[in-house]
C-alpha cells in the first residue's frame, strides 16, 4: 500500500521465490540496517524496512519475505495483498526456480493486475559458469509481462542497490499516476482498482491500464 | 474548559492566578497559527513589540517554526525564525539542548528563560495581564483576529491587587544559567524540562527591575500605544528563580498591588518566610530525553496536595538569593529519581489490559493508578502540608501525586497530566471529552455506544440466529467505520484542547489519535463485544472447526505440512510464553496492544526455533514453527483475536511489521483450518471458502486503505 502525502511515501514490497534461490539474502544484503529501527521485535529477516531518499522524497519500504516452500504457495495472497511491488527471485543455476517465478507472475497479474511493479531477479550470478537460465530468455520474458529484469549476486553485493532503487522509482511513478487519475475528477468512480482486480477472475480483463475510471 | 477549576495556585488566596502555561494553553488560538504563511507572520509581528512571537508551520518543510520579533527595526530581518524539532515524543528548539513534552510547555519555558533565544518570549500584554478565565477565553475566541485588533487594550478591569500578592525570594536570572546549560552541550538534548506552573507576577523588588534592565530599555523604545505603560510594568517584572530542591523553579516575580502603578516604585519587602518556601513549579528530569516528568504538587488544587518541597531537599534549605551554579542545577536535576519512560512503559504500555470488566465507561483514573503505581504517593498524604510526612510516605520517590481515588485525575487539569507518555495524555484528554455529552464529539461517541450496546445484545441473544453468518465481521466493520468517523469528527471539530499538534510530534499524531479513539469506543464495549463475537463465531461454526483441528494436530499430524514435532524444555518454555501472550491479548481492548503482544509472541516463536536448531534460523522455518506453536498453545480464541485486529487496525498498520506477523498468524490459522482429516487436500492448499474470505477481506480493507489515503491527502492539502 502506498500512503501518499507530500513528504514521504510508504510502499509494500513482497518477496517471492523458491526456498533456495537466496531471496532472503538479497533483502538482507540490502537492509543492513535492519535492526536500527525502533521496532518491537527484531525478528530475523522476514519483515524488513528500508528508508530511502529519492530526489528529495522520503520513501519507506516495507519488505515482506515469504516462505518459499511450494506447500505454502496457497498462502501467497495473504502476503502479497495490497503490495506496491513484488520481487520475484530465481536462481540462475536452477531452471526450475525460473519456472516458479513465471507461475508467480501469472498469479500476481491475475490477482493484482498492472498495479503492482514486478521485478524478476536472477540471483547468484557469481555462479555464472553453472548458469541454466539464459539471460536473453529471462529478459524477453520479463518484457513480455511488463516486468523488469535484474541480475544480482547477494554474495558479491552486485546489482542489489540498483534493483531496489529502480523499483522505488517505478512505484513512485505508479503512485503519482494514481494521484493524477484521482485528481482529474475520477476519484469517485475508482474506489479501489486493486480491489476490483482481486475479485476478477479474468486474467487481464481489468488490467488494461488498470483503470476503470470514467474521467 | 477543564482549566477552570484547576489553575489556582494554592497560596494565591481565593483569587486565581494564571501561570504562563495556563495563559498559553487558554490562548493558543492566538499564538498558534500553523496555517499562517511567512509574509502574514511578518506582517503581524512587525506591528508588535520586540519579543512577541507566533508559532507557524513552514510551508515547504512542514515543520513548525517559532517566529520571534527579535529587534526593533521594522524590517523582515528583525523577525527570527527557529525550527521546532519534534523527535522522540518531545519538542525542542533547533540548536537547543532542552526538550519538552509538548509545545505549550516549550513556549512557556521560553517565556521565562531565553536559552538559545536572544531574550525570553513575551506574551502579548493583554494575555499576560488577564486575570480571569473569562478574559482569557475572550482573547482566545479572537484567534488570529487578535493580531488585527489595533492596540490590544485591557479587556475589562484588571485589578492587580487582588491577583498578585507578595511572595517568594528572588534569585536573579536563571536564564543565563540555562543558557550555559544549552551552550556547550549541543550534541544531544541535555535535559527534559516540564515548565509546570510558570507564574506571572508583577514587579516586587528593585532587583527585578535591575535584572531585566536591558529588556526594559528595549521595551520602552519599542513601546507604543496607550497600553504600553501597563505592558511595560509587566515585562520589566519578569523574574526567574531557581531553587535547588531538585526541580527548577521558574517564576516571574513581582507585585501587582494597586499602589504600584509607577515603574519606579520602591521595592517591597519579600513575603513572609513560609511563603518563601520554594515551590516546585518546574520539574526537570535529568538525562537525555527523560520523558516522564513529575507532576508538581503545585499542579493540584489545595485539597489535593499542598505545596511541598522535594524530600531530598528538605534537610538543606537553600539560602535565598544565591546565584545557582550550573553544576548545582544539574546535580539537583540528577538527584530527582524521575521515572524513566522505559519504567513507565514497562508497567503501563499495555494499559488496555487491566481494565474494568464492566462495559460502562471506566474512568481513566483507574488505569492511571494501575500504571503509575509505585511512582505516586498515596492520597492520604495529600491533605498534609508537611514535607516530612511526604517523605515518610515515600522516602525514595519524588513527591508526585497519587490518584487512587476515582476521578482524582479528572479534578486535575487535564493539561497537567503530564507524567504519561505523550500519547497517553492524548488518550486521557480524548476520553474525557468523549464522556462529555456537551461536546459534539462526546455526544457522537455516547450515542454510538448506546446504540452499539443494544445492537450487540440483540446479536448475542440466542433468538437472533437468523442471518448471523459472517456477522462478526460486519460488527467489526461497523465499529471501524465509526472509529474513523469519530476520529475525523474530533480533528475537524477542534474540540480537543490543547490541540493535538501541540501535544505530540507530528509523526506520532496518528498513532496517538488511534489509540485514544480505541480507548473511547472499544474499552467501554469490551465485555459485551467479546461476548457477542464469541456467540457469533459459535453460530457460524468457525470456532469449533478450529478447536477440533487444534486438538487433532496436537497429537501429531502436522508432519503432512512438513512440520516436525519439536520438543525440549526450552521449546516448552517459549510455548508457554506464547500462551501467556495470547491470554493477555484476550484481555486487551486495543487492537494496537493486541498486535504488539502478537509481535512478542512471534518473537517467542523465533526463540523457540533457535532453541531447537541452535543456529541461524531461516525464515523458511518460521511459518511451520509458528503453526506448530499455535497448535501447542491450543487457544481457539486466537481466531477471534486475529479477526479483531485485521478488521479494526487502521490500514496503514496492516502493512507494517505488525501487519506482517498478523498475516503470518492468519496464514497459520488458514493452514490449520484447511487441513481436513478425512479428505486430505494437497498440503498447504486453502479451502475454497478460506480463499473467498481472503479475497473479500483484501478487497474491503484495500478500499478502506484507499479512502484513508484519500482523506489524509485532503487533510494535508487543507
Amino acid at each position: 500500500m502506498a500512503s501518499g502525502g507530500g513528504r514521504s511515501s510508504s510502499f509494500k514490497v513482497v518477496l517471492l521465490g523458491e526456498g533456495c534461490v537466496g531471496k532472503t539474502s538479497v533483502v538482507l544484503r540490502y537492509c543492513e540496517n535492519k535492526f536500527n529501527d525502533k521496532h518491537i521485535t527484531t525478528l530475523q529477516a522476514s519483515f524488513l524496512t528500508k528508508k530511502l531518499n529519492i530526489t528529495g522524497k522520503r520513501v519507506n519500504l516495507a519488505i515482506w519475505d515469504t516462505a518459499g516452500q511450494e506447500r505454502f504457495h496457497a498462502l501467497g495472497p495473504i502476503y502479497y495483498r495490497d503490495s506496491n511491488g513484488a520481487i520475484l527471485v530465481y536462481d540462475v543455476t536452477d531452471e526450475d526456480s525460473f519456472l516458479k517465478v513465471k507461475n508467480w507472475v501469472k498469479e500476481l497479474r491475475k490477482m493484482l493486475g498492472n498495479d503492482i511493479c514486478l521485478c524478476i531477479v536472477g540471483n547468484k550470478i557469481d555462479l555464472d559458469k553453472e548458469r541454466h537460465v539464459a539471460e536473453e530468455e529471462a529478459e524477453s520474458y520479463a518484457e513480455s509481462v511488463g516486468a523488469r529484469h535484474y541480475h544480482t549476486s547477494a554474495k558479491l553485493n552486485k546489482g542489489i542497490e540498483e534493483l531496489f532503487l529502480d523499483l522505488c522509482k517505478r512505484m513512485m511513478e505508479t503512485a503519482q499516476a494514481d494521484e493524477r487519475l484521482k485528481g482529474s475528477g475520477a476519484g469517485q468512480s475508482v474506489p479501489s482498482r486493486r480491489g476490483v482486480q482481486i475479485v476478477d477472475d479474468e486474467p487481464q480483463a481489468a488490467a488494461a491500464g488498470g483503470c476503470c475510471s470514467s474521467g | 474548559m477543564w482549566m477552570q477549576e484547576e489553575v489556582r495556585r494554592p497560596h494565591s488566596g481565593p483569587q486565581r492566578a494564571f501561570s504562563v502555561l495556563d495563559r498559553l494553553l487558554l490562548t493558543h488560538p492566538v499564538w498558534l497559527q500553523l496555517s499562517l504563511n511567512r509574509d502574514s507572520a511578518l506582517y503581524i509581528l512587525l506591528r508588535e513589540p520586540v519579543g512577541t512571537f507566533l508559532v507557524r508551520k513552514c510551508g515547504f518543510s512542514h515543520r513548525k517554526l517559532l517566529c520571534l520579533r527579535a529587534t526593533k527595526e521594522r524590517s523582515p530581518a528583525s523577525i527570527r525564525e527557529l525550527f521546532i524539532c519534534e523527535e522522540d515524543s518531545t519538542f525542542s528548539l533547533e540548536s537547543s539542548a532542552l526538550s519538552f513534552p509538548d509545545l505549550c510547555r516549550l513556549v512557556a519555558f521560553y517565556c521565562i528563560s531565553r536559552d538559545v533565544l536572544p531574550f525570553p518570549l513575551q506574551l502579548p500584554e493583554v494575555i499576560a495581564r488577564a486575570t480571569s478565565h473569562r478574559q482569557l477565553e475572550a482573547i482566545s475566541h479572537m484567534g488570529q483576529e487578535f493580531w488585527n485588533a489595533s492596540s490590544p487594550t485591557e479587556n475589562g478591569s484588571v485589578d492587580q491587587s487582588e491577583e498578585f500578592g507578595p511572595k517568594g525570594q528572588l534569585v536573579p536570572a536563571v536564564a543565563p544559567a540555562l543558557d550555559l546549560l544549552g551552550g556547550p552541550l549541543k550534541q544531544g538534548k541535555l535535559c527534559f524540562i516540564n515548565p509546570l506552573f510558570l507564574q506571572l507576577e508583577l514587579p516586587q523588588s528593585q532587583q527585578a527591575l535591575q535584572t531585566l534592565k536591558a529588556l526594559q530599555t528595549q521595551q520602552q523604545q519599542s513601546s507604543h500605544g496607550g497600553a504600553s505603560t501597563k505592558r511595560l510594568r509587566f515585562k520589566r517584572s519578569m523574574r526567574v528563580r531557581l531553587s535547588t530542591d531538585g526541580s527548577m523553579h521558574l517564576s516571574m516575580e513581582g507585585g501587582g498591588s494597586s499602589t504600584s502603578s509607577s515603574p519606579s516604585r520602591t521595592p517591597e519587602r519579600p513575603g513572609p518566610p513560609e511563603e518563601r518556601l520554594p515551590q516546585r513549579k518546574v520539574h526537570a528530569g535529568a538525562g537525555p530525553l527523560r520523558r516522564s516528568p513529575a507532576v508538581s504538587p503545585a499542579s493540584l488544587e489545595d485539597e489535593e496536595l499542598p505545596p511541598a518541597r522535594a524530600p531530598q531537599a528538605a534537610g538543606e534549605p537553600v539560602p535565598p538569593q544565591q546565584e545557582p551554579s550550573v553544576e548545582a542545577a544539574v546535580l539537583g536535576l540528577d538527584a530527582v529519581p524521575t521515572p524513566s519512560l522505559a519504567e513507565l512503559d514497562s508497567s503501563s504500555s499495555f494499559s488496555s489490559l487491566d481494565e474494568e470488566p464492566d462495559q460502562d465507561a471506566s474512568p481513566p483514573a483507574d488505569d492511571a493508578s494501575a500504571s503509575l503505581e509505585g511512582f505516586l504517593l498515596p492520597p492520604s498524604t495529600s491533605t498534609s502540608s508537611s514535607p516530612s510526612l511526604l517523605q515518610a510516605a515515600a522516602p525514595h520517590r519524588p513527591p508526585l501525586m497519587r490518584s487512587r481515588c476515582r476521578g482524582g485525575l479528572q479534578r486535575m487539569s487535564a493539561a497537567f497530566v503530564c507524567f504519561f507518555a505523550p500519547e497517553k495524555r492524548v488518550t486521557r484528554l480524548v476520553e474525557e471529552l468523549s464522556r462529555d455529552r456537551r461536546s459534539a464529539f462526546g455526544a457522537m461517541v455516547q450515542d454510538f455506544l448506546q446504540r452499539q450496546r443494544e445492537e450487540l445484545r440483540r446479536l448475542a441473544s440466542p433468538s437472533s440466529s437468523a442471518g448471523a453468518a459472517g456477522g462478526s465481521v460486519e460488527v467489526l466493520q461497523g465499529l471501524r467505520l465509526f472509529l474513523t468517523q469519530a476520529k475525523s469528527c474530533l480533528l475537524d471539530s477542534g474540540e480537543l484542547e490543547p490541540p493535538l499538534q501541540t501535544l505530540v510530534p507530528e509523526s506520532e499524531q496518528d498513532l496517538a489519535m488511534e489509540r485514544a479513539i480505541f480507548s473511547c469506543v472499544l474499552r467501554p464495549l469490551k465485555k459485551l463485544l467479546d461476548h457477542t463475537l464469541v456467540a457469533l463465531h459459535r453460530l457460524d461454526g468457525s470456532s469449533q472447526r478450529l478447536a477440533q483441528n487444534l486438538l487433532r494436530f496436537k497429537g501429531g499430524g502436522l508432519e503432512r505440512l512438513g512440520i516436525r514435532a519439536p520438543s525440549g524444555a526450552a521449546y516448552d518454555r517459549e510455548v508457554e510464553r506464547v500462551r501467556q501472550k495470547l491470554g493477555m491479548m484476550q484481555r486487551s481492548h486495543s487492537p494496537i496492544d493486541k498486535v504488539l503482544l502478537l509481535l512478542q509472541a512471534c518473537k517467542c516463536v523465533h526463540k523457540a526455533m533457535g532453541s531447537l536448531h541452535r543456529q541461524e534460523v531461516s525464515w523458511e522455518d518460521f511459518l511451520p514453527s509458528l503453526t506448530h506453536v499455535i497448535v501447542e498453545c491450543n487457544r481457539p480464541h486466537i481466531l477471534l483475536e486475529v479477526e479483531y485486529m485485521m478488521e479494526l487496525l487502521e490500514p496503514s498498520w496492516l502493512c507494517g511489521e505488525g501487519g506482517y506477523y498478523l498475516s503470518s498468524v492468519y496464514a497459520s490459522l488458514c493452514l490449520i483450518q484447511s487441513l481436513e482429516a478425512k479428505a486430505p487436500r494437497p498440503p498447504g492448499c486453502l479451502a475454497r471458502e478460506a480463499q473467498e474470505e481472503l479475497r473479500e477481506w483484501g478487497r474491503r480493507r484495500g478500499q478502506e486503505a484507499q479512502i484513508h489515503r484519500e482523506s489524509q491527502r485532503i487533510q494535508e492539502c487543507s
Side-chain angles (χ1 to χ4, degrees), chain B residues 184-426:
Chain B
L185 292 155
K186 291 272 160 63
Q187 304 92 316
K189 301 299 171 199
L190 177 70
C191 61
F192 174 75
I193 290 185
N194 179 10
L196 276 176
F197 290 85
L198 307 175
Q199 189 94 12
L200 288 190
E201 283 153 38
L202 291 182
Q204 185 69 261
S205 73
Q206 194 63 47
Q207 279 176 325
L209 301 180
Q210 284 162 357
T211 311
L212 295 186
K213 193 102 181 176
L215 186 63
Q216 174 184 352
T217 325
Q218 203 167 24
Q219 293 307 330
Q220 273 168 343
Q221 285 167 349
S222 65
S223 68
H224 57 268
S228 60
T229 339
K230 287 194 170 177
R231 195 178 261 201
L232 263 176
R233 208 186 310 128
F234 156 66
K235 284 167 181 160
R236 200 181 298 123
S237 72
M238 285 180 65
R239 297 291 298 168
V240 276
R241 57 182 180 175
L242 179 68
S243 79
T244 51
D245 64 350
S247 65
M248 236 176 297
H249 196 139
L250 305 172
S251 90
M252 301 206 193
E253 277 297 319
S257 71
S258 48
T259 59
S260 63
S261 54
S262 148
S264 58
R265 67 204 167 76
T266 50
E268 290 169 19
R269 284 193 58 232
E274 63 270 20
E275 288 188 350
R276 257 181 268 158
L277 253 184
Q279 311 250 320
R280 285 173 65 94
K281 287 184 193 150
V282 176
H283 178 95
L289 295 173
R290 278 281 176 95
R291 270 193 277 173
S292 314
V295 148
S296 79
S299 68
L300 303 173
E301 294 174 80
D302 316 33
E303 63 272 23
E304 284 273 345
L305 243 178
R309 307 170 63 182
Q312 63 270 22
E316 28 179 300
V318 182
Q321 305 193 5
Q322 187 185 28
E323 191 78 42
S325 72
V326 176
E327 288 98 318
V330 173
L331 283 175
L333 295 180
D334 274 334
V336 182
T338 323
S340 72
L341 181 72
E343 284 173 291
L344 267 182
D345 272 2
S346 64
S347 63
S348 67
S349 60
F350 296 119
S351 59
S352 64
L353 287 182
D354 294 304
E355 53 203 24
E356 298 226 318
D358 192 61
Q359 49 174 320
D360 293 314
S362 60
D366 285 26
D367 181 16
S369 57
S371 321
L372 294 165
E373 209 154 9
F375 300 121
L376 305 174
L377 289 176
S380 57
T381 60
S382 66
T383 48
S384 157
S385 59
S386 150
S388 61
L389 227 174
L390 283 175
Q391 225 174 334
H396 304 299
R397 290 171 196 152
L400 303 182
M401 55 72 65
R402 168 115 151 198
S403 63
R404 209 76 178 113
C405 48
R406 233 162 220 255
L409 276 176
Q410 277 124 312
R411 275 194 285 152
M412 223 167 70
S413 173
F416 301 136
V417 184
C418 62
F419 39 74
F420 304 108
E423 65 176 38
K424 289 208 170 67
R425 267 188 306 147
V426 174

Side-chain angles (χ1 to χ4, degrees), chain B residues 417-716:
Chain B
V417 184
C418 62
F419 39 74
F420 304 108
E423 65 176 38
K424 289 208 170 67
R425 267 188 306 147
V426 174
T427 299
R428 203 107 327 196
L429 288 169
V430 173
E431 270 184 339
E432 210 163 287
L433 193 63
S434 79
R435 282 192 294 270
D436 184 356
R437 272 191 173 275
R438 288 166 301 176
S439 70
F441 175 69
M444 184 186 188
V445 170
Q446 292 307 320
D447 288 347
F448 175 80
L449 289 179
Q450 205 175 333
R451 282 199 312 275
Q452 192 66 19
R453 282 189 186 118
E454 285 163 18
E455 176 69 8
L456 290 175
R457 282 199 195 97
R458 193 183 63 75
L459 283 171
S461 70
S463 56
S464 70
S465 57
S472 59
V473 170
E474 279 155 32
V475 169
L476 294 170
Q477 270 177 263
L479 278 171
R480 180 65 246 186
L481 194 66
F482 178 76
L483 291 167
T484 308
Q485 283 169 354
K487 208 162 69 166
S488 53
C489 161
L490 180 56
L491 289 174
D492 294 346
S493 71
E495 287 178 325
L496 187 62
E497 290 280 337
L500 186 64
Q501 294 96 318
T502 69
L503 287 173
V504 273
E506 209 133 316
S507 58
E508 295 164 34
Q509 283 173 15
D510 266 354
L511 177 62
M513 209 53 178
E514 191 77 357
R515 274 185 186 275
I517 296 283
F518 284 152
S519 199
C520 297
V521 178
L522 298 179
R523 186 197 291 271
L525 292 175
K526 165 89 169 101
K527 194 184 170 195
L528 194 52
L529 184 59
D530 279 354
H531 182 66
T532 308
L533 292 177
V534 168
L536 290 173
H537 276 275
R538 204 184 300 128
L539 278 174
D540 71 13
S542 54
S543 289
Q544 292 94 315
R545 196 162 53 241
L546 180 66
Q548 278 167 13
N549 277 8
L550 284 175
L551 277 180
R552 182 178 301 145
F553 292 124
K554 203 165 159 54
L558 284 176
E559 290 77 15
R560 271 198 290 152
L561 282 178
I563 301 168
R564 53 204 168 106
S567 57
Y571 183 81
D572 293 344
R573 201 168 50 235
E574 295 303 329
V575 170
E576 184 50 41
R577 268 191 206 140
V578 173
R579 195 177 288 132
Q580 281 168 13
K581 302 284 179 201
L582 295 182
M584 284 164 82
M585 208 185 274
Q586 206 170 331
R587 278 156 52 205
S588 164
H589 72 268
S590 157
I592 292 176
D593 283 357
K594 280 179 198 277
V595 104
L596 296 181
L597 284 162
L598 184 120
L599 284 172
Q600 294 179 353
C602 287
K603 204 172 181 177
C604 293
V605 172
H606 244 276
K607 270 197 198 149
M609 289 162 65
S611 72
L612 210 63
H613 302 287
R614 296 187 184 289
Q615 57 190 353
E616 193 81 350
V617 209
S618 95
W619 158 242
E620 304 292 333
D621 296 321
F622 180 70
L623 196 58
S625 304
L626 178 67
T627 308
H628 195 271
V629 171
I630 288 175
V631 166
E632 285 292 307
C633 286
N634 191 19
R635 277 186 176 266
H637 199 271
I638 193 175
L639 184 69
L640 273 71
E641 300 297 343
V642 168
E643 184 184 79
Y644 190 90
M645 287 181 264
M646 283 174 72
E647 296 297 336
L648 294 183
L649 280 174
E650 201 188 48
S652 60
W653 266 79
L654 292 170
C655 283
E657 193 172 35
Y660 179 78
Y661 287 101
L662 180 59
S663 297
S664 295
V665 173
Y666 182 59
S668 283
L669 291 179
C670 285
L671 275 180
I672 294 167
Q673 277 181 301
S674 65
L675 284 173
E676 307 238 347
K678 284 179 206 162
R681 209 175 261 112
C685 233
L686 289 183
R688 182 73 194 154
E689 316 88 76
Q691 288 184 21
E692 285 300 321
E693 251 170 56
L694 195 60
R695 286 184 184 194
E696 164 60 23
W697 179 79
R699 191 184 55 79
R700 196 158 35 73
R701 294 309 318 254
Q703 280 180 3
E704 284 163 35
Q706 196 88 16
I707 293 163
H708 176 71
R709 286 196 289 273
E710 198 81 344
S711 69
Q712 268 193 335
R713 211 163 48 93
I714 291 164
Q715 264 176 20
E716 246 163 64

